[in-house]
Structures are given as structure tokens and as C-alpha cells.
């Protein structure tokens, strides 16, 4: 057995109530005296509550957070960090908030303390992304990985059911892609498959009772594992496809990932071998991982296709062209070769609805 595994040195504090009882101590550990708080408008009241004990150490509040992190928003956050002479960025919110904080870290090398309120998982990665003129650029830089992450399941209790489902399946996408990512290895497999199982276990409970802190804890635990595994295993076909579509058409980030994931998995399964069976076991059906994923999507109300999350039929040709430019003909490492015709079929199928599953095929054969 031969492999290489690198881990990011991010401190994790996990537990119900942690954001209200541990945050000041974690700021102290980072020796921060000038804190810039980044949170979207909806999360800013929570951010103000959590940061209140920091008193005059808070030197700025930035709330111009948008999905896919437009360059203009990133530049505004960087400007505020410099004007206030901040020595720490405290982000409170979802993946777009974390992404905005990362944008500051990328150019100004400020440490980030992240308090996630969704299941994005990006707080555990060293991946950054910025969007300009309809094109999303991503990169990898260790400086953007948060120094500390405080996971508090209680902060996700107010997350609506549809957003909980989409955000949880976005984390699922990190886990699933980590199974075939270019840096996948036995260590990332352990984290990714444990994350899949935790998300599968927790998401139905969250949808049944949004105040179920145990279920919320399972999903947040899965999100932590998803980001950790993805950071080490690296990005592949799924994330490249979604980055292109999200940047070009401003689609809702989490829901788009949730919709595209089973289609990418269906494409990859013939080349995954034993990895497909292990993924299936984590999803609850060793023989049919795609079917298990589709059934989970149906159970928690994930939209059926990209047409349901804002991609117009008139944009399909352009969507196929853009994705093919990014991923086809050997542009990315992938367990199964992918060409333009494969991209065309995948994007159009993802626009139309759910992929066919083994159960569907068996039913058709029986008929």
C-alpha cells in the first residue's frame, strides 16, 4: 500500500452551545485584538449576539455576502480589513460567508475563525473561489483554511427544512467526490464514508423535526468530515461541473450540488469497482448506491432537476459548452474518461430530473 496524505492544521471545537460558551476563549487562543466580523444580512443579528462578549475588540462588521463570492464583494471585505487594521476574521454563516472570509485571508494572510450555520463543509478546506463576469475561478492555498472552526449544532436549528436538505446534500457531494478525488487514499476514504453515513442518518431526522439537536449534530459532524476528506482528496468532475454552472448562471449553490450529484455518481459507478460497493454500504444499499442517493433526495425533498433550481432550457447548449471546456477530454483526472458527448448527456439529464437507478432498470426488465 502506497499513498500520500496531508492534513490541514485546523482546530475544531464541536458541541451544542459551543459558539456561546467557547468563542471568546478561541479568539484569545489566536491572540486577536482587532476582529472583523463577516456575516450575511440574515446572519448578522446572530453574529452580533455571539461577538458581543468581545466588546471593543470588534473593529468592523461586513455584511455584503453573496453566493459564489463576487470579486467586488471580496474587494470590499479586503478593504474593510485593511481600513480597520483587523488581525482576525470571524465568519458567522454558511459557505458564502466562509468564502468571503477566505478571500480576505488569500490576499491579506489574516487568520479566519469560522462559525458555520449551515452544512457547507468549506470551513474545513483550503479551497477558495471567486466569481467575475459569470466565470468562477477556484484555487487551493493553505492560508485560506480557517485556523479554528467552532461547530455548534444549536446554530443550525433555525435553518429551514429546504435549506437544511440542500446544504446537507452539498456536504454529501464533498464526501462522495472524495471517494474518487485525485488525492483519495485510505485515510480520506474513512472520513468520507463515515461522513456519508452520518449525513444519511441525520438528514431524515432533521427534516422530521428541525429542533432535533441530535440529528442536527449528526449532519454537522458529517459536514465536518465532508470538508476534511474533500480538502485532502481534491476536486473532480462533480465540483468542476457545479463551479462552472454556478458561476455562469448564478444557480443556488447547495441545491445545484444536490441535484447534480446523483448524475455524476451514476456516470462514475462503472469505473469505481469496490469503491462503489463501499459507498453503497454507507448510503444503505451496497448494490445500488445511485438508487440509495436518489431515495434519500426524494425523502428530504431535493429538487428533481436543474430546471427546478433556475437553469433555463434555452441555456442548456451554453451550459454544456462551458462544462465541456472545463472537464472533457482529459482536462481533469477522473476514474472514467469523459468526452464532450458524455458532458452533453450528463448536463441535459441533470436538467431534466433524477437519473435512472438499478431498481428502475430491474423494474423495466420485469415489465
Amino acid at each position: 500500500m502506497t499513498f500520500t496524505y496531508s492534513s490541514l492544521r485546523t482546530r475544531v471545537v464541536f458541541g451544542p452551545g459551543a459558539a456561546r460558551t467557547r468563542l471568546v476563549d478561541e479568539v484569545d487562543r489566536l491572540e486577536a485584538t482587532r476582529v472583523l466580523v463577516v456575516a450575511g444580512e440574515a446572519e448578522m443579528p446572530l453574529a452580533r449576539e455571539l461577538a458581543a462578549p468581545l466588546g471593543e475588540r470588534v473593529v468592523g462588521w461586513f455584511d455584503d455576502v453573496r453566493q459564489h463570492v463576487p470579486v467586488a464583494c471580496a474587494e470590499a471585505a479586503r478593504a474593510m480589513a485593511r481600513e480597520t487594521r483587523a488581525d482576525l476574521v470571524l465568519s458567522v454563516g454558511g459557505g458564502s460567508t466562509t468564502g468571503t472570509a477566505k478571500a480576505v485571508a488569500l490576499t491579506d494572510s489574516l487568520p479566519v475563525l469560522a462559525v458555520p450555520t449551515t452544512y457547507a463543509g468549506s470551513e474545513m478546506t483550503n479551497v477558495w473561489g471567486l466569481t467575475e463576469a459569470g466565470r468562477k475561478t477556484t484555487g487551493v492555498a493553505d492560508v485560506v483554511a480557517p485556523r479554528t472552526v467552532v461547530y455548534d449544532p444549536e446554530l443550525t436549528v433555525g435553518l429551514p427544512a429546504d435549506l437544511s436538505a440542500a446544504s446537507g446534500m452539498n456536504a454529501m457531494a464533498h464526501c462522495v467526490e472524495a471517494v474518487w478525488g485525485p488525492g483519495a487514499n485510505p485515510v480520506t476514504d474513512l472520513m468520507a464514508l463515515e461522513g456519508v453515513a452520518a449525513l444519511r442518518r441525520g438528514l431524515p431526522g432533521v427534516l422530521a423535526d428541525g429542533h432535533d439537536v441530535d440529528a442536527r449534530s449528526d449532519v454537522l459532524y458529517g459536514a465536518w468530515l465532508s470538508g476534511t476528506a474533500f480538502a485532502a482528496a481534491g476536486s473532480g468532475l462533480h465540483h468542476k461541473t457545479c463551479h462552472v454552472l454556478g458561476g455562469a448562471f448564478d444557480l443556488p449553490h447547495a441545491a445545484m450540488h444536490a441535484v447534480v450529484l446523483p448524475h455524476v455518481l451514476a456516470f462514475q459507478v462503472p469505473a469505481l469497482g469496490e469503491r462503489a460497493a463501499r459507498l453503497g454500504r454507507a448510503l444503505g444499499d451496497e448494490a445500488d448506491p445511485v438508487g440509495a442517493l436518489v431515495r434519500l433526495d426524494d425523502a428530504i425533498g431535493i429538487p428533481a432537476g436543474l430546471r427546478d433550481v433556475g437553469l433555463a432550457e434555452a441555456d442548456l447548449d451554453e451550459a454544456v459548452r462551458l462544462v465541456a471546456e472545463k472537464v472533457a477530454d482529459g482536462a481533469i483526472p477522473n476514474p472514467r474518461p469523459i468526452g464532450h458527448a458524455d458532458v452533453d448527456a450528463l448536463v441535459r439529464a441533470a436538467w431534466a430530473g433524477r437519473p435512472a437507478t438499478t431498481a428502475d432498470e430491474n423494474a423495466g426488465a420485469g415489465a
Side-chain angles (χ1 to χ4, degrees):
M1 181 184 297
T2 302
F3 66 90
T4 300
Y5 172 73
S6 297
S7 64
L8 300 176
R9 296 181 178 178
T10 298
R11 174 177 167 85
V12 172
V13 177
F14 193 110
R20 291 182 171 86
T21 60
R22 304 283 298 277
L23 188 61
V24 173
D25 289 343
E26 295 307 317
V27 172
D28 290 343
R29 283 180 61 90
L30 294 170
E31 300 180 345
T33 59
R34 302 184 65 82
V35 180
L36 171 64
V37 179
V38 175
E41 289 185 6
E43 290 78 27
M44 188 55 80
L46 172 64
R48 290 185 180 277
E49 176 193 341
L50 297 179
L54 296 173
E56 294 182 356
R57 280 196 278 178
V58 177
V59 294
W61 307 87
F62 184 84
D63 66 0
D64 190 12
V65 173
R66 303 181 200 173
Q67 68 173 0
H68 307 300
V69 193
V71 167
C73 295
E75 290 295 348
R78 291 163 176 165
M80 184 176 287
R82 293 164 190 160
E83 290 165 3
T84 59
R85 295 180 290 114
D87 59 8
L88 175 72
V89 182
L90 169 61
S91 68
V92 180
S96 298
T97 305
T98 304
T100 304
K102 285 181 173 183
V104 177
L106 181 66
T107 54
D108 293 58
S109 299
L110 291 184
V112 175
L113 194 166
V115 183
T117 60
T118 69
Y119 307 120
S122 59
E123 65 279 349
M124 289 305 299
T125 79
N126 57 350
V127 178
W128 57 268
L130 296 169
T131 301
E132 187 172 28
R135 298 294 180 268
K136 187 167 185 175
T137 301
T138 61
V140 175
D142 286 350
V143 71
V144 308
R147 293 276 295 277
T148 303
V149 179
V150 177
Y151 284 108
D152 185 345
E154 291 181 355
L155 300 188
T156 68
V157 166
L159 194 64
D162 59 339
L163 295 180
S164 295
S167 184
M169 293 309 290
N170 182 24
M172 181 73 79
H174 297 333
C175 290
V176 171
E177 181 130 278
V179 171
W180 63 70
N185 60 67
V187 180
T188 58
D189 281 354
L190 287 172
M191 292 185 290
L193 295 174
E194 171 69 3
V196 167
L199 291 163
R200 177 179 68 88
R201 183 172 64 243
L203 279 169
V206 166
L207 270 290
D209 178 3
H211 290 83
D212 185 340
V213 175
D214 289 338
R216 293 279 185 187
S217 294
D218 277 341
V219 179
L220 200 57
Y221 170 60
W224 166 35
L225 291 170
S226 80
T228 305
F230 179 73
S235 180
L237 174 60
H238 173 82
H239 281 79
K240 297 298 185 186
T241 298
C242 289
H243 287 162
V244 170
L245 295 176
F249 304 105
D250 196 29
L251 303 180
H253 181 86
M256 172 187 59
H257 275 272
V259 167
V260 171
L261 180 60
H263 293 275
V264 175
L265 178 58
F267 178 80
Q268 304 283 41
V269 158
L272 294 181
E274 172 58 24
R275 286 177 292 176
R278 285 187 277 127
L279 186 53
R281 284 195 294 273
L283 284 165
D285 188 339
E286 179 176 340
D288 188 10
V290 177
L293 193 60
V294 166
R295 290 190 292 275
L296 179 58
D297 281 346
D298 288 341
I300 63 176
I302 295 298
L306 290 172
R307 62 182 176 180
D308 302 309
V309 298
L311 183 63
E313 186 172 12
D315 290 328
L316 273 175
D317 288 345
E318 177 70 356
V320 169
R321 184 185 70 80
L322 292 172
V323 174
E325 284 181 357
K326 191 76 171 182
V327 307
D329 302 319
I332 61 168
N334 200 58
R336 181 181 174 188
I338 182 165
H340 190 282
D342 300 309
V343 171
D344 187 272
L346 191 156
V347 171
R348 292 181 190 279
W351 180 84
R354 304 268 196 250
T357 68
T358 300
D360 296 332
E361 295 166 0
N362 290 341

